[in-house]
Amino acid sequence: MSLLEVDNLQTAFHTRDVIVRAVNGISYSVAPGETLGIVGESGSGKSVSQYSLLGLLPTPPAKVESGTARFEGTDLLSASPAELRKIRGGRIAMIFQDPMTALNPFMRVGKQLAEPLLLHGDLDKGVARKEAIQALNDVGIQDAEAALNRFPHEFSGGMRQRIMIAMALITRPALLIADEPTTALDVTVQAQILSLIKKRQEELGMAVVMITHDLGVIAATCDRVLVMYAGQVVESATRTELFRQSAHPYTQALMASMPALHHEGEALYTIPGLPPDMTRPIPGCAFAPRCAHAEPACQESAPTLQAVSPEHETACLRIQSGSLTRAHLHAETQV
Amino acid sequence: MNDSLLTVNDVKTHFQVKRGPFYKRQHGVLRAVDGVSLSLREGEILGLVGESGCGKSTLARTIMRLLPITSGAVTFNGKDLTNYERDALRRVRPEFQMIFQDPYASLNPRKTVYDTLAEPLLTHDIVERSAVATEVGRLMETVGLAKRFVRKYPHEFSGGQRQRIAIARALALRPRLIIADEPVSALDVSVQAQILNLLRTLCKEEQLAMILISHDLGVVRHMVHRIAVMYLGKIVEQGPASDVFDHPRHPYTRALLAAILKPTADAAATLSELVLKGDPPSPVNPPSGCAFHPRCPWATAECAASTPPLIACGEGHEAACIRLDAVGATVPK
Ligand SMILES: Nc1ncnc2c1ncn2[C@@H]1O[C@H](COP(=O)(O)OP(=O)(O)OP(=O)(O)O)[C@@H](O)[C@H]1O
Ligand SMILES: Nc1ncnc2c1ncn2[C@@H]1O[C@H](COP(=O)(O)OP(=O)(O)OP(=O)(O)O)[C@@H](O)[C@H]1O
Ligand code: SF4
Ligand SMILES: [Mg+2]
Ligand SMILES: [Mg+2]
């Protein structure tokens, strides 16, 4: 049984003169307790795909055009704003790159922590306060009692991120959506935050959707990974398969761009060309114009995700047809 | 020293802060940057790394003269900028540009890409009025933005695309020094690679000097000639990049390098082992002696007694630790 089941989600922005098809029919599921990573091109719709589920996009211009998103018996995409508000910050929590967007600068940390409890449960203030202290202890903030009375700016960036996590997890959500949670942090604090999320995940049995463009973060935290390009999922694989034998030229090119794989002073591998114009329909594979392996047929029919092995799907037409093997794909893009 | 483009000499940037509830409010001094010296030659790329909140951005803004200097001196191209006032600063400002960490905050939401890029070109007479449109097109191409975006507003772009606009705007003024504060942290790896290649080429071909601030040590290692590691407002280690990466000497540098996450299939197991114990100290109330001592596995009583100076430990390589011999020079596993 999956916890979240997203089917054919399409989200577009209706701007003054054009329609931007930011998310173009994606389907995926998240099992209870698992960590699903989302990587992909900047602007490929990673954030929009998640914000769509929680009703966090400005409407207009954003509009969910089609799809369903089943979460614990509710279709999030057709839920009323009131229902969504209840789920958000209740059964589903979200954390962002910048904790200051989530924390209220003028409210003491203690009050902010207790708020979702008072909103979602019917606890009295004393109990809420105890829970708030516990939540801060759980994320490793020392002297939690005193911390309750302080304002967000009185903490360091890493501590603020931990307070945001405490706030997100205080309602014991079943699903945590984390959008680039450690991008702004140094690697020692990043390791601290990620292992904290993992520890709380194990304690609460919670599932996590981890949006990041850091393949190191993916490697350290995720069970399965979705790779997005131009509003679509182009590959879906377990972490191990993704790193050992990815099955899409875009994924392979992305990995080849990592500085770690280059010699000092060597120019970094880059993908030629530009991402497609998302205001126009894309006839074939969206990656075809930039793909080192594209054939004329790639421009003609739009690929869908197909399995290459039990837990591994690709939208590459050539891998699907067998005219391009994974071994060849790897050999070709090796730097 | 004579051929350096930028010299930063014992710079301190302190903030007055108020803490606590109003009835027992304490006034404190937050030592965001506390005695930093460095220098940069034309065409040189210096990496500035360190814990979140250690003062990297504050140092950058101080060098840019966007923040008042508490003490010390900043010399750029032979001119002592320390006491420059607004008008004088405005004249030299095009020569040093900054790319900010947060493209959301640094772009004007009411300006199209065209206006954002055309304005500096016009105000500073970079090109003839008739050539502005062409130059805007060239800048967009340089950073890999399609020309069809020219009439769009910042909110219509993804985080990554916005950062490219910010970079194009900095390049518009043809600066000699760029301070890039997390310039690629909002970008996916392949777009990152384009921007990094671009910045490197600019530094090489136009002799542009750059200070690169980044938490991505893979990026830093690839890009920079020299690296400076900061901890709580001070430089604790600096030296040639390859030397510092292969033979880190300061215990904090070692902890930092050990926490790099490797993008490989079996990295997941190691996460919890990477965690550096304890919290970053408060810059208002810093630990005595070496600020790292409460978290340092090598610390002795002596470490808490006095602030260690930078000690030479290799060709152009120095570290501020009194126990360098005990710490050793091998790469931590
Ligand atoms: N308010 C808006 N109006 C028009 N287009 C928008 C708006 N918000 C987002 N978009 C577009 O939707 C697309 C997807 O954006 P999204 O923020 O999901 O990208 P992302 O994959 O999260 O990228 P990044 O890695 O840069 O955060 C982008 O092409 C962006 O330009
Ligand atoms: N205007 C200000 N007033 C008071 N304190 C400030 C101000 N700006 C920064 N600080 C404090 O100075 C210290 C250094 O901050 P700075 O932003 O320079 O760190 P950083 O190294 O850039 O961190 P990060 O990696 O998170 O960007 C922090 O403790 C911060 O809270
Ligand atoms: S379908 Fe064709 S163009 Fe698309 S990724 Fe596969 S080979 Fe490349
Ligand atoms: Mg995003
Ligand atoms: Mg900073």
mmCIF file of all heavy atoms in Angstrom, chain A residues 16 40-43 162 183-187 190 195 213 219 239 244 265-266 268-269 274 277, chain B residues 51-52 144 148 156 158 185 187-188 193-194 197 200 215 222 256 261 264-266 268 275 279:
data_model
loop_
_atom_site.group_PDB
_atom_site.id
_atom_site.type_symbol
_atom_site.label_atom_id
_atom_site.label_comp_id
_atom_site.label_asym_id
_atom_site.label_seq_id
_atom_site.Cartn_x
_atom_site.Cartn_y
_atom_site.Cartn_z
ATOM 1 N N ARG A 16 0.429 36.312 -18.438
ATOM 2 C CA ARG A 16 -0.191 37.290 -19.335
ATOM 3 C C ARG A 16 -0.438 36.752 -20.737
ATOM 4 O O ARG A 16 -1.525 36.788 -21.261
ATOM 5 C CB ARG A 16 0.687 38.544 -19.435
ATOM 6 C CG ARG A 16 0.588 39.474 -18.259
ATOM 7 C CD ARG A 16 1.812 40.341 -18.246
ATOM 8 N NE ARG A 16 3.006 39.499 -18.158
ATOM 9 C CZ ARG A 16 4.171 39.755 -18.711
ATOM 10 N NH1 ARG A 16 4.333 40.830 -19.413
ATOM 11 N NH2 ARG A 16 5.190 38.918 -18.562
ATOM 12 N N GLY A 40 16.909 16.881 -10.729
ATOM 13 C CA GLY A 40 16.609 17.264 -12.105
ATOM 14 C C GLY A 40 17.029 18.671 -12.390
ATOM 15 O O GLY A 40 17.483 19.418 -11.523
ATOM 16 N N GLU A 41 16.872 19.044 -13.629
ATOM 17 C CA GLU A 41 17.217 20.363 -14.155
ATOM 18 C C GLU A 41 16.567 21.475 -13.314
ATOM 19 O O GLU A 41 15.442 21.322 -12.856
ATOM 20 C CB GLU A 41 16.666 20.402 -15.594
ATOM 21 C CG GLU A 41 16.961 21.634 -16.383
ATOM 22 C CD GLU A 41 18.182 21.456 -17.284
ATOM 23 O OE1 GLU A 41 18.704 20.334 -17.377
ATOM 24 O OE2 GLU A 41 18.599 22.460 -17.870
ATOM 25 N N SER A 42 17.286 22.585 -13.136
ATOM 26 C CA SER A 42 16.662 23.760 -12.527
ATOM 27 C C SER A 42 15.462 24.150 -13.384
ATOM 28 O O SER A 42 15.598 24.280 -14.593
ATOM 29 C CB SER A 42 17.618 24.953 -12.516
ATOM 30 O OG SER A 42 18.813 24.624 -11.884
ATOM 31 N N GLY A 43 14.320 24.332 -12.772
ATOM 32 C CA GLY A 43 13.130 24.709 -13.534
ATOM 33 C C GLY A 43 12.380 23.537 -14.132
ATOM 34 O O GLY A 43 11.459 23.717 -14.932
ATOM 35 N N ARG A 162 17.055 23.453 12.208
ATOM 36 C CA ARG A 162 16.609 22.391 13.112
ATOM 37 C C ARG A 162 15.302 22.765 13.809
ATOM 38 O O ARG A 162 14.447 21.918 14.039
ATOM 39 C CB ARG A 162 17.704 22.073 14.138
ATOM 40 C CG ARG A 162 18.759 21.175 13.527
ATOM 41 C CD ARG A 162 19.686 20.660 14.574
ATOM 42 N NE ARG A 162 20.755 21.607 14.818
ATOM 43 C CZ ARG A 162 21.436 21.672 15.957
ATOM 44 N NH1 ARG A 162 21.143 20.871 16.943
ATOM 45 N NH2 ARG A 162 22.395 22.543 16.091
ATOM 46 N N THR A 183 20.674 23.018 1.290
ATOM 47 C CA THR A 183 21.443 23.716 0.263
ATOM 48 C C THR A 183 22.201 24.919 0.818
ATOM 49 O O THR A 183 23.285 25.242 0.355
ATOM 50 C CB THR A 183 20.500 24.155 -0.867
ATOM 51 O OG1 THR A 183 19.846 22.989 -1.334
ATOM 52 C CG2 THR A 183 21.251 24.786 -2.014
ATOM 53 N N ALA A 184 21.633 25.591 1.832
ATOM 54 C CA ALA A 184 22.268 26.808 2.336
ATOM 55 C C ALA A 184 23.225 26.534 3.495
ATOM 56 O O ALA A 184 23.737 27.450 4.095
ATOM 57 C CB ALA A 184 21.203 27.807 2.767
ATOM 58 N N LEU A 185 23.453 25.267 3.792
ATOM 59 C CA LEU A 185 24.246 24.957 4.986
ATOM 60 C C LEU A 185 25.597 24.350 4.634
ATOM 61 O O LEU A 185 25.744 23.707 3.600
ATOM 62 C CB LEU A 185 23.466 23.963 5.857
ATOM 63 C CG LEU A 185 22.072 24.420 6.271
ATOM 64 C CD1 LEU A 185 21.339 23.287 6.974
ATOM 65 C CD2 LEU A 185 22.156 25.635 7.174
ATOM 66 N N ASP A 186 26.581 24.529 5.527
ATOM 67 C CA ASP A 186 27.871 23.904 5.266
ATOM 68 C C ASP A 186 27.749 22.397 5.471
ATOM 69 O O ASP A 186 26.790 21.921 6.071
ATOM 70 C CB ASP A 186 28.944 24.502 6.182
ATOM 71 C CG ASP A 186 28.797 24.019 7.597
ATOM 72 O OD1 ASP A 186 29.301 22.924 7.913
ATOM 73 O OD2 ASP A 186 28.146 24.711 8.391
ATOM 74 N N VAL A 187 28.748 21.657 4.987
ATOM 75 C CA VAL A 187 28.611 20.202 4.974
ATOM 76 C C VAL A 187 28.570 19.559 6.356
ATOM 77 O O VAL A 187 27.962 18.504 6.517
ATOM 78 C CB VAL A 187 29.700 19.524 4.104
ATOM 79 C CG1 VAL A 187 29.423 19.782 2.641
ATOM 80 C CG2 VAL A 187 31.091 19.970 4.492
ATOM 81 N N GLN A 190 25.062 20.175 7.351
ATOM 82 C CA GLN A 190 24.246 19.350 6.464
ATOM 83 C C GLN A 190 24.182 17.907 6.958
ATOM 84 O O GLN A 190 23.100 17.305 7.029
ATOM 85 C CB GLN A 190 24.829 19.379 5.053
ATOM 86 C CG GLN A 190 24.284 18.298 4.149
ATOM 87 C CD GLN A 190 24.675 18.527 2.710
ATOM 88 O OE1 GLN A 190 24.091 19.348 2.027
ATOM 89 N NE2 GLN A 190 25.659 17.806 2.238
ATOM 90 N N SER A 195 21.114 13.589 9.152
ATOM 91 C CA SER A 195 21.007 12.423 10.030
ATOM 92 C C SER A 195 19.898 12.633 11.053
ATOM 93 O O SER A 195 19.268 11.673 11.482
ATOM 94 C CB SER A 195 22.339 12.043 10.669
ATOM 95 O OG SER A 195 22.881 13.127 11.329
ATOM 96 N N HIS A 213 19.430 19.097 -5.610
ATOM 97 C CA HIS A 213 20.203 18.852 -6.826
ATOM 98 C C HIS A 213 21.586 18.350 -6.464
ATOM 99 O O HIS A 213 22.455 18.241 -7.311
ATOM 100 C CB HIS A 213 20.260 20.091 -7.711
ATOM 101 C CG HIS A 213 20.672 21.300 -6.964
ATOM 102 N ND1 HIS A 213 21.943 21.499 -6.556
ATOM 103 C CD2 HIS A 213 19.951 22.337 -6.499
ATOM 104 C CE1 HIS A 213 22.007 22.616 -5.879
ATOM 105 N NE2 HIS A 213 20.809 23.148 -5.812
ATOM 106 N N ALA A 219 22.529 10.313 -2.554
ATOM 107 C CA ALA A 219 23.226 9.065 -2.224
ATOM 108 C C ALA A 219 23.152 8.758 -0.734
ATOM 109 O O ALA A 219 23.039 7.608 -0.333
ATOM 110 C CB ALA A 219 24.681 9.145 -2.670
ATOM 111 N N ARG A 239 18.108 3.875 -5.422
ATOM 112 C CA ARG A 239 19.370 4.626 -5.342
ATOM 113 C C ARG A 239 20.517 3.835 -5.956
ATOM 114 O O ARG A 239 21.289 4.346 -6.763
ATOM 115 C CB ARG A 239 19.693 4.931 -3.871
ATOM 116 C CG ARG A 239 21.034 5.606 -3.693
ATOM 117 C CD ARG A 239 21.450 5.719 -2.251
ATOM 118 N NE ARG A 239 21.875 4.441 -1.703
ATOM 119 C CZ ARG A 239 21.339 3.877 -0.649
ATOM 120 N NH1 ARG A 239 20.345 4.466 -0.015
ATOM 121 N NH2 ARG A 239 21.765 2.724 -0.214
ATOM 122 N N ARG A 244 24.592 3.000 -10.114
ATOM 123 C CA ARG A 244 25.390 1.958 -10.749
ATOM 124 C C ARG A 244 25.059 1.828 -12.225
ATOM 125 O O ARG A 244 25.938 1.576 -13.030
ATOM 126 C CB ARG A 244 25.131 0.615 -10.060
ATOM 127 C CG ARG A 244 25.588 0.607 -8.620
ATOM 128 C CD ARG A 244 26.573 -0.514 -8.325
ATOM 129 N NE ARG A 244 27.206 -0.282 -7.019
ATOM 130 C CZ ARG A 244 26.803 -0.872 -5.895
ATOM 131 N NH1 ARG A 244 25.821 -1.754 -5.900
ATOM 132 N NH2 ARG A 244 27.418 -0.604 -4.764
ATOM 133 N N GLY A 265 41.444 21.844 -13.057
ATOM 134 C CA GLY A 265 41.684 22.717 -14.199
ATOM 135 C C GLY A 265 40.955 22.310 -15.461
ATOM 136 O O GLY A 265 40.850 23.088 -16.402
ATOM 137 N N GLU A 266 40.436 21.106 -15.494
ATOM 138 C CA GLU A 266 39.722 20.624 -16.668
ATOM 139 C C GLU A 266 38.345 21.298 -16.731
ATOM 140 O O GLU A 266 37.716 21.502 -15.697
ATOM 141 C CB GLU A 266 39.555 19.119 -16.496
ATOM 142 C CG GLU A 266 38.938 18.395 -17.636
ATOM 143 C CD GLU A 266 38.727 16.910 -17.278
ATOM 144 O OE1 GLU A 266 38.528 16.605 -16.078
ATOM 145 O OE2 GLU A 266 38.745 16.094 -18.175
ATOM 146 N N LEU A 268 34.479 21.560 -16.981
ATOM 147 C CA LEU A 268 33.473 20.595 -16.549
ATOM 148 C C LEU A 268 32.614 20.160 -17.732
ATOM 149 O O LEU A 268 32.319 20.940 -18.627
ATOM 150 C CB LEU A 268 32.576 21.227 -15.477
ATOM 151 C CG LEU A 268 33.262 21.661 -14.189
ATOM 152 C CD1 LEU A 268 32.312 22.479 -13.329
ATOM 153 C CD2 LEU A 268 33.767 20.443 -13.432
ATOM 154 N N TYR A 269 32.198 18.904 -17.695
ATOM 155 C CA TYR A 269 31.284 18.414 -18.726
ATOM 156 C C TYR A 269 29.964 19.171 -18.600
ATOM 157 O O TYR A 269 29.427 19.330 -17.505
ATOM 158 C CB TYR A 269 31.055 16.916 -18.537
ATOM 159 C CG TYR A 269 30.040 16.370 -19.501
ATOM 160 C CD1 TYR A 269 30.413 16.038 -20.804
ATOM 161 C CD2 TYR A 269 28.707 16.221 -19.129
ATOM 162 C CE1 TYR A 269 29.476 15.566 -21.707
ATOM 163 C CE2 TYR A 269 27.766 15.753 -20.022
ATOM 164 C CZ TYR A 269 28.152 15.428 -21.306
ATOM 165 O OH TYR A 269 27.210 14.982 -22.196
ATOM 166 N N LEU A 274 19.942 24.294 -24.587
ATOM 167 C CA LEU A 274 19.144 24.864 -23.506
ATOM 168 C C LEU A 274 17.926 23.991 -23.244
ATOM 169 O O LEU A 274 17.490 23.246 -24.111
ATOM 170 C CB LEU A 274 18.659 26.259 -23.917
ATOM 171 C CG LEU A 274 19.717 27.351 -24.058
ATOM 172 C CD1 LEU A 274 19.105 28.595 -24.638
ATOM 173 C CD2 LEU A 274 20.358 27.625 -22.714
ATOM 174 N N ASP A 277 11.458 25.093 -24.354
ATOM 175 C CA ASP A 277 10.463 26.107 -24.061
ATOM 176 C C ASP A 277 9.195 25.401 -23.585
ATOM 177 O O ASP A 277 8.537 24.695 -24.344
ATOM 178 C CB ASP A 277 10.194 26.889 -25.361
ATOM 179 C CG ASP A 277 9.181 27.987 -25.146
ATOM 180 O OD1 ASP A 277 8.605 28.065 -24.037
ATOM 181 O OD2 ASP A 277 8.970 28.759 -26.094
ATOM 182 N N GLU B 51 31.814 27.124 8.278
ATOM 183 C CA GLU B 51 30.520 26.831 8.862
ATOM 184 C C GLU B 51 29.478 27.915 8.558
ATOM 185 O O GLU B 51 29.803 29.096 8.464
ATOM 186 C CB GLU B 51 30.714 26.730 10.371
ATOM 187 C CG GLU B 51 29.532 26.193 11.120
ATOM 188 C CD GLU B 51 29.994 25.293 12.248
ATOM 189 O OE1 GLU B 51 30.907 25.697 12.968
ATOM 190 O OE2 GLU B 51 29.431 24.202 12.391
ATOM 191 N N SER B 52 28.221 27.510 8.436
ATOM 192 C CA SER B 52 27.133 28.471 8.278
ATOM 193 C C SER B 52 27.208 29.470 9.426
ATOM 194 O O SER B 52 27.264 29.065 10.579
ATOM 195 C CB SER B 52 25.778 27.767 8.351
ATOM 196 O OG SER B 52 25.747 26.659 7.504
ATOM 197 N N GLY B 144 23.837 31.622 -20.690
ATOM 198 C CA GLY B 144 22.984 30.517 -21.103
ATOM 199 C C GLY B 144 21.497 30.735 -20.873
ATOM 200 O O GLY B 144 20.773 29.805 -20.546
ATOM 201 N N ARG B 148 14.352 34.451 -25.668
ATOM 202 C CA ARG B 148 12.897 34.623 -25.560
ATOM 203 C C ARG B 148 12.481 35.054 -24.156
ATOM 204 O O ARG B 148 11.360 35.495 -23.939
ATOM 205 C CB ARG B 148 12.160 33.332 -25.949
ATOM 206 C CG ARG B 148 12.447 32.162 -25.028
ATOM 207 C CD ARG B 148 11.543 30.964 -25.308
ATOM 208 N NE ARG B 148 11.743 29.947 -24.304
ATOM 209 C CZ ARG B 148 12.672 28.998 -24.358
ATOM 210 N NH1 ARG B 148 13.482 28.912 -25.387
ATOM 211 N NH2 ARG B 148 12.782 28.117 -23.387
ATOM 212 N N GLU B 156 8.805 34.795 -12.868
ATOM 213 C CA GLU B 156 8.454 33.798 -13.873
ATOM 214 C C GLU B 156 9.580 32.796 -14.115
ATOM 215 O O GLU B 156 9.491 31.954 -14.999
ATOM 216 C CB GLU B 156 8.080 34.493 -15.190
ATOM 217 C CG GLU B 156 6.855 35.380 -15.036
ATOM 218 C CD GLU B 156 6.547 36.159 -16.311
ATOM 219 O OE1 GLU B 156 6.138 35.527 -17.290
ATOM 220 O OE2 GLU B 156 6.740 37.382 -16.310
ATOM 221 N N SER B 158 12.597 29.982 -12.595
ATOM 222 C CA SER B 158 12.956 29.106 -11.482
ATOM 223 C C SER B 158 14.146 29.725 -10.759
ATOM 224 O O SER B 158 14.791 30.645 -11.272
ATOM 225 C CB SER B 158 13.332 27.723 -12.005
ATOM 226 O OG SER B 158 14.625 27.760 -12.553
ATOM 227 N N SER B 185 24.601 27.625 -5.865
ATOM 228 C CA SER B 185 23.961 26.671 -4.969
ATOM 229 C C SER B 185 22.490 26.453 -5.308
ATOM 230 O O SER B 185 21.898 25.489 -4.868
ATOM 231 C CB SER B 185 24.135 27.095 -3.511
ATOM 232 O OG SER B 185 23.397 28.251 -3.257
ATOM 233 N N LEU B 187 21.495 25.935 -8.411
ATOM 234 C CA LEU B 187 21.451 25.381 -9.766
ATOM 235 C C LEU B 187 21.664 23.868 -9.787
ATOM 236 O O LEU B 187 22.387 23.337 -8.965
ATOM 237 C CB LEU B 187 22.546 26.034 -10.614
ATOM 238 C CG LEU B 187 22.581 27.560 -10.612
ATOM 239 C CD1 LEU B 187 23.763 28.055 -11.409
ATOM 240 C CD2 LEU B 187 21.297 28.104 -11.192
ATOM 241 N N ASP B 188 21.056 23.207 -10.767
ATOM 242 C CA ASP B 188 21.337 21.781 -10.888
ATOM 243 C C ASP B 188 22.758 21.595 -11.406
ATOM 244 O O ASP B 188 23.364 22.501 -11.956
ATOM 245 C CB ASP B 188 20.318 21.090 -11.787
ATOM 246 C CG ASP B 188 20.504 21.445 -13.237
ATOM 247 O OD1 ASP B 188 21.501 20.993 -13.836
ATOM 248 O OD2 ASP B 188 19.673 22.180 -13.775
ATOM 249 N N ALA B 193 27.695 23.473 -13.835
ATOM 250 C CA ALA B 193 28.922 23.262 -14.607
ATOM 251 C C ALA B 193 29.091 24.357 -15.659
ATOM 252 O O ALA B 193 30.190 24.871 -15.852
ATOM 253 C CB ALA B 193 28.892 21.879 -15.264
ATOM 254 N N GLN B 194 27.997 24.746 -16.315
ATOM 255 C CA GLN B 194 28.089 25.822 -17.320
ATOM 256 C C GLN B 194 28.565 27.118 -16.679
ATOM 257 O O GLN B 194 29.452 27.795 -17.189
ATOM 258 C CB GLN B 194 26.722 26.108 -17.936
ATOM 259 C CG GLN B 194 26.184 25.051 -18.861
ATOM 260 C CD GLN B 194 24.736 25.353 -19.225
ATOM 261 O OE1 GLN B 194 24.258 26.464 -19.035
ATOM 262 N NE2 GLN B 194 24.046 24.356 -19.761
ATOM 263 N N ASN B 197 32.249 26.868 -15.499
ATOM 264 C CA ASN B 197 33.158 26.977 -16.652
ATOM 265 C C ASN B 197 33.255 28.425 -17.103
ATOM 266 O O ASN B 197 34.329 28.933 -17.405
ATOM 267 C CB ASN B 197 32.668 26.107 -17.811
ATOM 268 C CG ASN B 197 32.923 24.622 -17.584
ATOM 269 O OD1 ASN B 197 33.709 24.252 -16.723
ATOM 270 N ND2 ASN B 197 32.257 23.781 -18.342
ATOM 271 N N ARG B 200 35.272 30.540 -14.665
ATOM 272 C CA ARG B 200 36.698 30.203 -14.799
ATOM 273 C C ARG B 200 37.312 30.824 -16.037
ATOM 274 O O ARG B 200 38.415 31.358 -16.006
ATOM 275 C CB ARG B 200 36.850 28.683 -14.902
ATOM 276 C CG ARG B 200 37.189 28.024 -13.612
ATOM 277 C CD ARG B 200 37.388 26.557 -13.876
ATOM 278 N NE ARG B 200 38.730 26.335 -14.395
ATOM 279 C CZ ARG B 200 39.694 25.800 -13.669
ATOM 280 N NH1 ARG B 200 39.455 25.434 -12.434
ATOM 281 N NH2 ARG B 200 40.880 25.618 -14.174
ATOM 282 N N HIS B 215 29.455 26.342 -0.094
ATOM 283 C CA HIS B 215 29.435 25.198 0.810
ATOM 284 C C HIS B 215 29.748 23.917 0.057
ATOM 285 O O HIS B 215 29.926 22.867 0.662
ATOM 286 C CB HIS B 215 28.056 25.048 1.464
ATOM 287 C CG HIS B 215 27.792 26.072 2.512
ATOM 288 N ND1 HIS B 215 28.679 26.322 3.523
ATOM 289 C CD2 HIS B 215 26.752 26.911 2.705
ATOM 290 C CE1 HIS B 215 28.190 27.267 4.300
ATOM 291 N NE2 HIS B 215 27.023 27.649 3.815
ATOM 292 N N HIS B 222 37.372 22.333 -7.415
ATOM 293 C CA HIS B 222 37.551 22.408 -8.861
ATOM 294 C C HIS B 222 37.926 23.809 -9.330
ATOM 295 O O HIS B 222 38.667 23.969 -10.287
ATOM 296 C CB HIS B 222 36.269 21.965 -9.556
ATOM 297 C CG HIS B 222 36.430 21.919 -11.036
ATOM 298 N ND1 HIS B 222 37.065 20.873 -11.664
ATOM 299 C CD2 HIS B 222 36.115 22.808 -11.988
ATOM 300 C CE1 HIS B 222 37.112 21.122 -12.950
ATOM 301 N NE2 HIS B 222 36.539 22.284 -13.186
ATOM 302 N N LEU B 256 35.445 19.391 8.337
ATOM 303 C CA LEU B 256 34.689 19.885 7.191
ATOM 304 C C LEU B 256 34.875 18.953 5.989
ATOM 305 O O LEU B 256 33.912 18.517 5.360
ATOM 306 C CB LEU B 256 35.186 21.298 6.862
ATOM 307 C CG LEU B 256 34.387 22.132 5.888
ATOM 308 C CD1 LEU B 256 33.047 22.497 6.492
ATOM 309 C CD2 LEU B 256 35.140 23.412 5.535
ATOM 310 N N LEU B 261 29.608 14.652 1.309
ATOM 311 C CA LEU B 261 28.831 13.463 0.958
ATOM 312 C C LEU B 261 29.241 12.982 -0.427
ATOM 313 O O LEU B 261 29.267 13.754 -1.377
ATOM 314 C CB LEU B 261 27.339 13.779 0.973
ATOM 315 C CG LEU B 261 26.770 14.243 2.313
ATOM 316 C CD1 LEU B 261 25.309 14.628 2.163
ATOM 317 C CD2 LEU B 261 26.924 13.141 3.352
ATOM 318 N N THR B 264 27.847 8.235 -4.363
ATOM 319 C CA THR B 264 28.010 6.852 -4.797
ATOM 320 C C THR B 264 26.901 6.009 -4.183
ATOM 321 O O THR B 264 26.285 6.403 -3.193
ATOM 322 C CB THR B 264 29.357 6.268 -4.310
ATOM 323 O OG1 THR B 264 29.436 6.479 -2.892
ATOM 324 C CG2 THR B 264 30.533 6.942 -4.978
ATOM 325 N N ALA B 265 26.677 4.845 -4.756
ATOM 326 C CA ALA B 265 25.537 4.016 -4.376
ATOM 327 C C ALA B 265 25.548 3.626 -2.907
ATOM 328 O O ALA B 265 24.503 3.472 -2.297
ATOM 329 C CB ALA B 265 25.492 2.770 -5.254
ATOM 330 N N ASP B 266 26.718 3.463 -2.302
ATOM 331 C CA ASP B 266 26.714 2.956 -0.933
ATOM 332 C C ASP B 266 27.153 4.003 0.093
ATOM 333 O O ASP B 266 27.778 3.689 1.094
ATOM 334 C CB ASP B 266 27.580 1.705 -0.829
ATOM 335 C CG ASP B 266 28.739 1.783 -1.800
ATOM 336 O OD1 ASP B 266 29.715 2.488 -1.520
ATOM 337 O OD2 ASP B 266 28.625 1.176 -2.870
ATOM 338 N N ALA B 268 25.050 5.866 1.864
ATOM 339 C CA ALA B 268 24.030 6.078 2.888
ATOM 340 C C ALA B 268 24.484 5.639 4.273
ATOM 341 O O ALA B 268 24.155 6.267 5.275
ATOM 342 C CB ALA B 268 22.747 5.351 2.511
ATOM 343 N N VAL B 275 28.871 13.339 11.556
ATOM 344 C CA VAL B 275 28.392 14.487 12.286
ATOM 345 C C VAL B 275 29.435 15.011 13.270
ATOM 346 O O VAL B 275 29.929 14.286 14.129
ATOM 347 C CB VAL B 275 27.077 14.152 13.012
ATOM 348 C CG1 VAL B 275 26.634 15.302 13.876
ATOM 349 C CG2 VAL B 275 26.007 13.813 11.985
ATOM 350 N N ASP B 279 27.342 22.192 18.914
ATOM 351 C CA ASP B 279 26.787 23.253 18.098
ATOM 352 C C ASP B 279 27.827 24.318 17.821
ATOM 353 O O ASP B 279 28.736 24.513 18.608
ATOM 354 C CB ASP B 279 25.604 23.892 18.818
ATOM 355 C CG ASP B 279 24.330 23.134 18.555
ATOM 356 O OD1 ASP B 279 24.086 22.825 17.366
ATOM 357 O OD2 ASP B 279 23.602 22.826 19.508
#
